[in-house]
Amino acid sequence: AFFLWLLVVNVSNPRIEGTREVELEILNENILEDAGLTYEIVGKNTVTVTYNVRTLDGYKIDASDFRAYIDLADLYDVTGAVPVNLEVVNNNTLIQSPEVKPGVIHVETEELQKKRFDLKAETTGEPEEGYALGDLTLEPEYLYISGPVSQVGQISEVGVEIAVDGANANLNGTAEPVFYDANGNKLDMGDKVSYDVPEIGYEVEVLKVKSL
């Protein structure tokens, strides 16, 4: 039966339906940025492409043969819907009747906010016995946070954490900013929030203690 099936397939080589999951490309993001808006795709960042192909050519088709994209210039403000465009970029002669699902992607937009925060410093650990911490300076002393209003609004304070455990000499270096909510809990802001200074410089004075 297997050899009979193989013979039939090789002789008739019928068309079959194939599917590929394709990464969604975003065009004209700057349109929303220029309008003071940020956006987020509702659901997955991929779409499913269905197509017809000859049985013996099925293995040749890959996700990279397709280009699926949305153009934010086509965003319908009322519903947040954007049509998905599909192009066949490779194996055009083998692929027939390509379709993309979903045909429409929904995009949520939100206003961007830029806010200044003064920086605070937190030290962790204790210096070596016989030493104490002196002045602590940060450079810069403040930074600007930009991002969606809903996320920037969660931030109550911004600072840096500096490890001083076992220190017996002045410390200096750089650290990434840490975000805190109103209760002092750390926040993970993800990649939607940006700040104008990538790292904060610090200098901690470590003083020799003398007992009298």
Side-chain angles (χ1 to χ4, degrees):
F2 171 76
F3 288 107
L4 180 60
W5 172 84
L6 191 63
L7 178 63
V8 170
V9 168
N10 277 277
V11 172
S12 61
N13 196 17
R15 287 197 170 273
I16 58 172
E17 183 177 87
T19 62
R20 291 290 184 271
E21 199 76 6
V22 178
E23 192 77 22
L24 191 63
E25 184 181 344
I26 315 296
L27 301 184
N28 285 320
E29 295 177 280
N30 62 297
I31 288 180
L32 295 183
E33 293 174 2
D34 293 344
L37 297 172
T38 183
Y39 75 92
E40 186 172 355
I41 302 294
V42 179
K44 301 188 300 181
N45 289 328
T46 61
V47 293
T48 301
V49 176
T50 60
Y51 55 90
N52 289 322
V53 63
R54 294 288 184 187
T55 302
L56 297 179
D57 294 325
Y59 75 95
K60 300 177 182 178
I61 309 304
D62 193 69
S64 60
D65 294 332
F66 305 95
R67 180 191 181 213
Y69 64 93
I70 59 173
D71 189 338
L72 294 181
D74 299 329
L75 174 66
Y76 183 46
D77 295 339
V78 177
T79 62
V82 190
V84 179
N85 301 286
L86 178 66
E87 295 178 1
V88 180
V89 295
N90 295 309
N91 289 317
N92 305 61
T93 57
L94 304 180
I95 297 169
Q96 286 192 0
S97 306
E99 294 183 358
V100 61
K101 295 179 182 178
V104 173
I105 294 294
H106 289 276
V107 176
E108 291 181 346
T109 60
E110 187 178 358
E111 288 187 10
L112 284 168
Q113 182 181 16
K114 185 176 182 179
K115 187 176 179 180
R116 170 177 160 161
F117 288 89
D118 292 327
L119 294 170
K120 69 170 188 175
E122 295 282 350
T123 58
T124 60
E126 296 293 335
E128 184 179 306
E129 186 176 354
Y131 291 84
L133 300 181
D135 293 335
L136 192 158
T137 57
L138 298 177
E139 178 60 39
E141 297 179 346
Y142 63 87
L143 51 70
Y144 285 93
I145 306 292
S146 301
V149 170
S150 61
Q151 289 189 280
V152 175
Q154 298 177 41
I155 303 172
S156 178
E157 292 183 317
V158 181
V160 293
E161 293 185 346
I162 305 168
V164 299
D165 202 38
N168 56 16
N170 291 351
L171 300 174
N172 60 74
T174 59
E176 293 187 359
V178 181
F179 307 101
Y180 303 90
D181 65 14
N183 296 318
N185 300 314
K186 292 182 184 179
L187 296 169
D188 182 6
M189 305 309 300
D191 58 1
K192 287 293 184 179
V193 168
S194 61
Y195 31 92
D196 59 343
V197 180
E199 290 188 323
I200 310 302
Y202 65 83
E203 184 170 346
V204 182
E205 187 179 28
V206 179
L207 304 173
K208 179 70 174 176
V209 175
K210 184 177 181 179
S211 299
L212 298 177

